[in-house]
């Protein structure tokens, strides 16, 4: 029996397909013969479970691969949320809050689960398989760099001592001085590592386009466009965002690096050849996305208040 409700829906379907110059009847045939959707097909489970390709037979390398893959998926979700803030035609505090809460949840999960990388692998196994992965490094996460670029004015991503001189400079000039480029230098010579050269070759053109696109609409500028009362409401969420990405996340990596790589340079190379002892601690970089929401005292203690 065709109810009034079903008849109305059929009519709407006819109008939909007619507008596209299509025959609704053909689509209904497709529905009749199509198989039901399954969970494993929908999320491409078989593909997902076959995306791990260890370079060694050492079991704990799978932990290393899968955790990094999970991390990149969270980064993808973060970039989607950022885009919804930055590209909103009419930004409201509600839109900002909704998306920033999502991002904070993503990073909270990453930070809370990072013990998998700190104590969740056998140290000897890690040191064996890690040397087979050089010069690859988590430093080469293009998505994480995109999160940084979209979050704030680009000049905030250079070392503090350089910011004043670079204010008003062209986007490309500022990008040439972005803080992380000095974090992948050889300990002995100060030259660019292969890790950095590979990364720049793959991503720098893309980063320049992204930085240019987000120059007038990054998260910091969009926040400043809100009325003062709405800005005030967002401060606790933005502080968590700043701390999660610029303090807590790098500190977890530092903790992991100390556990696995804290040997003399001649005994073991740093991760991907990066100068991690200077690069990872937040107090050395003082990268802050929203400096206007922090007090001078908080800024001077940057990196010391990670889990307050």
């Amino acid at each position: 029996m065709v109810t009034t409700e079903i008849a109305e829906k059929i009519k709407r379907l006819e109008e939909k397909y007619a507008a596209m110059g299509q025959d609704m009847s053909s689509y209904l045939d497709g529905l009749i013969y199509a198989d039901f959707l399954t969970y494993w097909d929908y999320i491409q489970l078989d593909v997902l479970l076959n995306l791990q390709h260890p370079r060694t037979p050492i079991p704990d390398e799978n932990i290393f691969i899968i955790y990094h893959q999970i991390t990149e998926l969270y980064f993808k979700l973060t970039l989607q949320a950022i885009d919804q803030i930055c590209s909103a035609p009419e930004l409201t505090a509600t839109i900002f809050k909704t998306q920033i809460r999502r991002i904070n949840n993503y990073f909270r999960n990453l930070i809370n689960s990072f013990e998998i990388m700190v104590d969740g692998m056998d140290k000897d196994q890690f040191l064996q398989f890690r040397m087979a992965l050089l010069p690859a490094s988590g430093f080469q996460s293009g998505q994480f760099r995109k999160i940084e670029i979209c979050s704030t004015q680009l000049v905030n991503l250079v070392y503090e001592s350089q910011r004043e001189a670079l204010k008003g400079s062209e986007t490309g000039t500022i990008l040439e001085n972005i803080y992380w480029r000095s974090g992948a230098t050889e300990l002995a010579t100060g030259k660019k590592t292969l890790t950095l050269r590979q990364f720049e070759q793959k991503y720098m053109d893309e980063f320049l386009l992204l930085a240019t696109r987000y120059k007038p609409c990054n998260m910091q500028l969009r926040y400043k466009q809100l009325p003062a009362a709405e800005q005030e409401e967002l401060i606790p969420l933005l502080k968590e965002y700043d701390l999660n990405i610029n303090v807590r996340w790098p500190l977890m990596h530092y903790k992991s690096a100390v556990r696995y790589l804290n040997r003399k340079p001649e005994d073991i190379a740093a991760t991907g050849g990066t100068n991690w002892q200077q690069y990872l601690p937040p107090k050395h970089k003082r990268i802050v996305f929203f400096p206007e929401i922090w007090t001078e005292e908080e800024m001077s203690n940057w990196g010391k208040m990670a889990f307050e």
Side-chain angles (χ1 to χ4, degrees):
M1 178 180 177
V2 178
T3 65
T4 303
E5 182 182 2
I6 292 175
E8 177 60 28
K9 289 182 178 179
I10 291 173
K11 181 182 176 182
R12 288 169 61 186
L13 281 172
E14 287 176 334
E15 292 171 351
K16 174 182 176 180
Y17 290 116
M20 297 188 297
Q22 301 291 318
D23 176 24
M24 185 189 72
S25 178
S26 298
Y27 282 87
L28 291 178
D29 284 342
L31 285 174
I32 290 170
Y33 296 111
D35 287 336
F36 290 108
L37 184 65
T38 62
Y39 166 79
W40 49 89
D41 284 335
Y42 180 64
I43 68 165
Q44 293 289 289
L45 183 60
D46 291 338
V47 175
L48 180 65
L49 297 181
N50 282 282
L51 287 176
Q52 295 76 47
H53 302 284
R55 300 293 295 270
T56 74
I58 300 168
D60 279 7
E61 187 183 347
N62 257 321
I63 299 173
F64 191 75
I65 293 171
I66 291 171
Y67 189 82
H68 281 86
Q69 290 176 336
I70 292 169
T71 297
E72 291 294 337
L73 290 174
Y74 272 120
F75 288 169
K76 183 174 182 177
L77 290 173
T78 297
L79 286 167
Q80 176 177 282
I82 289 173
D83 183 64
Q84 290 183 74
I85 292 171
C86 297
S87 64
E90 295 183 17
L91 183 64
T92 64
T94 300
I95 293 173
F96 214 126
K97 284 179 184 177
T98 298
Q99 300 304 329
I100 204 74
R101 283 187 180 123
R102 290 179 181 181
I103 298 171
N104 284 341
N105 281 333
Y106 302 150
F107 270 88
R108 201 178 298 127
N109 285 341
L110 285 172
I111 292 160
N112 290 341
S113 66
F114 204 82
E115 288 299 325
I116 292 169
M117 293 289 288
V118 177
D119 292 318
M121 293 182 292
D122 180 85
K123 184 174 181 178
D124 291 335
Q125 285 194 33
F126 174 85
L127 293 176
Q128 287 172 343
F129 75 71
R130 187 63 187 88
M131 293 305 101
L133 311 183
L134 296 177
S137 169
F139 174 94
Q140 295 174 318
S141 172
Q143 287 198 117
F144 186 75
R145 303 307 169 198
K146 290 176 182 179
I147 290 169
E148 293 178 316
I149 289 169
C150 297
S151 293
T152 190
Q153 295 182 77
L154 197 61
V155 75
N156 290 330
L157 300 181
V158 301
Y159 281 105
E160 196 172 21
S161 60
Q162 299 173 277
R163 286 175 202 159
E164 192 60 38
L166 286 168
K167 280 183 179 178
S169 298
E170 294 292 327
T171 300
T173 301
I174 300 174
L175 196 57
E176 286 291 322
N177 291 276
I178 200 164
Y179 80 94
W180 47 258
R181 298 186 89 169
S182 63
T185 55
E186 294 176 0
L187 294 173
T189 65
K191 294 180 180 178
K192 289 183 181 181
T193 60
L194 178 57
T195 301
L196 178 58
R197 297 199 303 273
Q198 288 176 329
F199 188 59
E200 290 179 336
Q201 183 177 7
K202 179 169 177 60
Y203 285 114
M204 286 306 288
D205 289 344
E206 192 174 339
F207 290 159
L208 179 58
L209 289 173
L210 189 73
T212 302
R213 175 188 164 195
Y214 277 85
K215 184 176 181 179
C217 64
N218 58 69
M219 285 179 65
Q220 184 190 17
L221 289 183
R222 297 241 68 187
Y223 162 71
K224 289 181 176 181
Q225 292 168 2
L226 292 171
E230 294 184 359
Q231 289 184 22
E232 191 70 23
E233 292 176 29
L234 281 165
I235 286 177
L237 292 171
L238 294 180
K239 282 191 170 183
E240 182 180 356
Y241 180 82
D242 233 342
L243 287 175
N244 280 344
I245 297 176
N246 292 316
V247 178
R248 294 170 182 143
W249 186 239
L251 277 179
M252 295 308 293
H253 285 75
Y254 183 74
K255 184 177 179 181
S256 176
V258 167
R259 168 173 166 76
Y260 293 114
L261 302 171
N262 197 21
R263 296 184 179 182
K264 296 178 181 178
E266 59 269 25
D267 292 334
I268 185 171
T271 305
T274 56
N275 184 9
W276 60 271
Q277 295 95 333
Q278 292 298 314
Y279 165 71
L280 287 175
K283 65 181 180 180
H284 293 165
K285 297 178 294 190
R286 296 244 298 199
I287 300 299
V288 185
F289 293 153
F290 303 92
E292 61 274 11
I293 68 176
W294 299 96
T295 66
E296 288 187 17
E297 181 180 1
E298 287 171 328
M299 293 285 282
S300 65
N301 289 316
W302 195 251
K304 299 178 182 179
M305 51 184 177
F307 297 97
E308 293 179 358

